Structures are given as structure tokens and as C-alpha cells.
Amino acid sequence: MNDHNNEDYFVKRSVPQFKDTTEKTGTERISSDRKKTKAADNLPEKSEGVASGAESNTDRFKFLKIPSSYKTGNVDMVFLVILALLLAIGIVMSFSASYAYAAKKYGDSYYFVVRQLLFTVLGVIAILMVTLFPLKTYKIVTYIVFGVAIILLLLVLVAGSERGGAKRWLEIPGLGSFQPSELAKTALVMMLAMYMSRFGDEVQAPGFKKSFLYGMVYPALFIGLIGGLVVLEKHFSGLIIICCIGLSVMVLGGTKLKYIIPIGLVAAAGIAALILFTDYSSTRIEVWRDPWSNPQGSGWQTIQGLYAIASGGIFGVGLGNS
């Protein structure tokens, strides 16, 4: 009998000879594809127009990154601890500095600190609430917040209360006064952040025309709108803060520094000229230089600050002794 009739030969022919590299069965391939799809779904979505811009910004600001070991889930623990410390210190300092005055004027030592605590609790609740919404929700919320801020800035010019020659406050019955410019700062950050997220590629385009238009001109319009209304309130310190906030978001959003530095210097010179040659602000500068020229009026706060430093030094006289 030849080899082809050998039983062992037919056994060998009937059994597939597998290679060292094992091929996946159909079921295994489907399972592997499902795992890849699930992993891709868990990846964070890129915002529109940010693909190249966000990556280059990350490279530019590597030194600002917080190590992942300091983060728990979606909570930045470093930022959370700093925020909690600032809130706690602010409440203690507010009570220490105000309890005597509150007792004398309102008959209640806790008059100011209770309001401070109320707004702190409201702020913490707001923080917890905003963490519940997905990021896409803020695209709609941003337009609402920005629009409300503009309306309130216009309203304060008509119905606001005037103090020391400036009209910046809206009176809220039962809660006290509110400055719309504070909301406007948050609204400006949200609007510029959304803008930079949407037009990240245009902001960092290689050419001059597109990158200057999207990176400098359009963001400056948002800053100018808010800043112009704040100027009408005679709130020049608020104007400086708003400009600094706006430029900071622009830098982080990818606007080229070669645009920001010269235009920022021009804007600083313009604000300085506005302050020096406006009666309201120039008077405040004169009082700051010589507060004793009006000790019971505009110079009172500066004089009290000097008294505090003279009596307590850098570290003060202690809690409850101010």
C-alpha cells in the first residue's frame, strides 16, 4: 500500500495546518471591533474648528498644565482647594472688619457677614449646577448670559444708583446693590472662549489677513462693546480689568502675540489718557496723591487704609481687633 492510502496521511490532510500567527474568528473580530468603537465613543469630542489651534496652544502653555495626579475625575482639586481657601478667608476677614461697624449702624454685628455667607452659598450652588450640564449647553447659555449682561449695563445707566459721581449699581430689594459690570466680566470670558473654540483655525491661520481679522479684530469688538458701556458708568478700574481679561482669553485662545503686544500697548495708552483727562478719574488720582485734601469724602477710604497699615503693619492687629 502506498503512502496515499496511509490512514495517517488522510488524517493530516483533513486537519488544517495552522500557522504560528493565529487568525481571529468572525466572532472575535466582531468583539474586537465593538471594543474599538466603544473606546472611540469615550474619547472627548473636539470642538468645531479647534483641531490645529488647540494643539498648538497646548504646546505654547505646557507650563500651565496641572499634573493628572492632582485631578479626581472631572474635578481639578488644586483649583477647588484654592477656591475654598479664598472663600473661607474672605468670610473671616469680612466679619473681622465689619462686625463693629455693623453693630453700631444696624444693631447687628452679623449684618454684613450674613449677606456674605448668603452670596457664598448661592455661588457654591451655582458651581454645582453648572457642572451638571454638558459642554454643548453652554453655547446657548453663553448667548443668554452675554445678552443679559448688555441689557443690565444699559439699564444701570438709566435706573442705576449714583455714588461718588459714578452710576454703577442696581439696587436689589432685600439683598443690597449689584454691579452689572461683574456679570459682564463672566459673560465676556464665556463669549470669547466660545468664539475662540469655534474659529480656532482661522485665529491661527498662517496668513496675516485672516489671522488678524479673526484673532484680533472680532474679539476686540466684544471687548469694546462691554468696555464702552462700562466707561459710560465712569468705572475705569472695571474697564482695565475687562481689557486684561479679554486679552488673556485671546492669548490662551491662540491670538498671535505679535498682534496683541502692540495693540495692547496702544490700548493701555488710550486708557491712561482717558483717566488723566476725565474730570471724574483725574479728581480721584489727585485725592489718591493727597487724601487729606478731602478726608471726609473721597479721601476717607485711602486714609483708613493708611491708618490700618500704620497700626497693624503687614500682618494686622489680629482677628477682631481691627
Side-chain angles (χ1 to χ4, degrees):
M1 185 179 294
N2 59 28
D3 293 336
H4 291 281
N5 295 325
N6 190 301
E7 184 178 359
D8 293 337
Y9 173 81
F10 288 103
V11 171
K12 292 179 181 179
R13 294 284 294 176
S14 63
V15 177
Q17 301 300 309
F18 294 98
K19 296 181 180 180
D20 293 337
T21 304
T22 305
E23 296 181 358
K24 293 181 179 180
T25 65
T27 304
E28 290 173 336
R29 284 197 298 271
I30 294 173
S31 176
S32 176
D33 292 340
R34 286 178 177 173
K35 289 180 180 179
K36 290 179 180 179
T37 303
K38 185 176 181 181
D41 291 339
N42 290 332
L43 290 175
E45 295 182 359
K46 285 187 177 181
S47 300
E48 300 174 359
V50 196
S52 61
E55 291 171 0
S56 58
N57 289 342
T58 302
D59 294 336
R60 190 195 297 188
F61 298 101
K62 283 183 178 179
F63 65 95
L64 293 177
K65 284 187 174 181
I66 300 297
S68 58
S69 58
Y70 291 103
K71 297 182 180 180
T72 302
N74 293 326
V75 179
D76 189 330
M77 296 305 297
V78 174
F79 184 79
L80 181 62
V81 170
I82 292 174
L83 178 62
L85 286 174
L86 288 174
L87 288 174
I89 293 172
I91 292 172
V92 172
M93 293 297 103
S94 175
F95 179 63
S96 176
S98 65
Y99 80 96
Y101 177 77
K104 180 179 179 181
K105 185 171 183 177
Y106 299 101
D108 181 8
S109 300
Y110 302 98
Y111 181 84
F112 292 109
V113 74
V114 167
R115 282 158 176 75
Q116 182 80 0
L117 284 169
L118 173 62
F119 282 106
T120 300
V121 171
L122 292 176
V124 171
I125 293 174
I127 290 174
L128 295 175
M129 289 180 63
V130 298
T131 60
L132 300 177
F133 298 102
L135 191 59
K136 293 181 180 179
T137 305
Y138 293 100
K139 291 183 178 181
I140 300 174
V141 174
T142 294
Y143 291 116
I144 297 175
V145 173
F146 194 81
V148 170
I150 296 298
I151 292 173
L152 292 178
L153 287 174
L154 292 171
L155 182 62
V156 76
L157 298 175
V158 179
S161 59
E162 185 172 340
R163 303 176 188 176
K167 187 179 287 188
R168 310 174 188 170
W169 297 267
L170 287 175
E171 298 297 332
I172 303 176
L175 294 177
S177 57
F178 166 71
Q179 291 192 53
S181 58
E182 297 301 319
L183 177 62
K185 295 171 187 176
T186 302
L188 180 63
V189 171
M190 295 175 67
M191 180 60 74
L192 287 178
M194 187 181 70
Y195 171 86
M196 291 294 178
S197 174
R198 183 175 180 181
F199 298 103
D201 289 337
E202 290 82 354
V203 168
Q204 299 186 66
F208 169 78
K209 184 177 180 180
K210 180 176 284 189
S211 63
F212 184 77
L213 186 64
Y214 283 89
M216 196 73 216
V217 176
Y218 292 152
L221 293 177
F222 292 119
I223 299 173
L225 176 60
I226 297 291
L229 292 174
V230 170
V231 168
L232 295 178
E233 299 177 3
K234 297 182 179 180
H235 192 182
F236 296 106
S237 59
L239 173 64
I240 295 172
I241 294 173
I242 285 170
C243 289
C244 290
I245 289 174
L247 290 176
S248 298
V249 177
M250 289 168 64
V251 171
L252 294 173
T255 300
K256 298 178 180 179
L257 294 178
K258 66 181 181 181
Y259 302 152
I260 289 182
I261 292 175
I263 293 180
L265 292 174
V266 171
I271 294 174
L274 186 66
I275 292 174
L276 291 174
F277 297 104
T278 303
D279 291 338
Y280 169 77
S281 56
S282 59
T283 301
R284 295 193 67 178
I285 292 175
E286 291 299 324
V287 171
W288 172 73
R289 295 177 60 186
D290 182 18
W292 283 273
S293 62
N294 189 6
Q296 297 300 320
S298 54
W300 185 86
Q301 188 170 0
T302 303
I303 293 173
Q304 300 308 308
L306 293 173
Y307 283 154
I309 295 174
S311 60
I314 297 177
F315 298 103
V317 293
L319 293 176
N321 297 321
S322 57

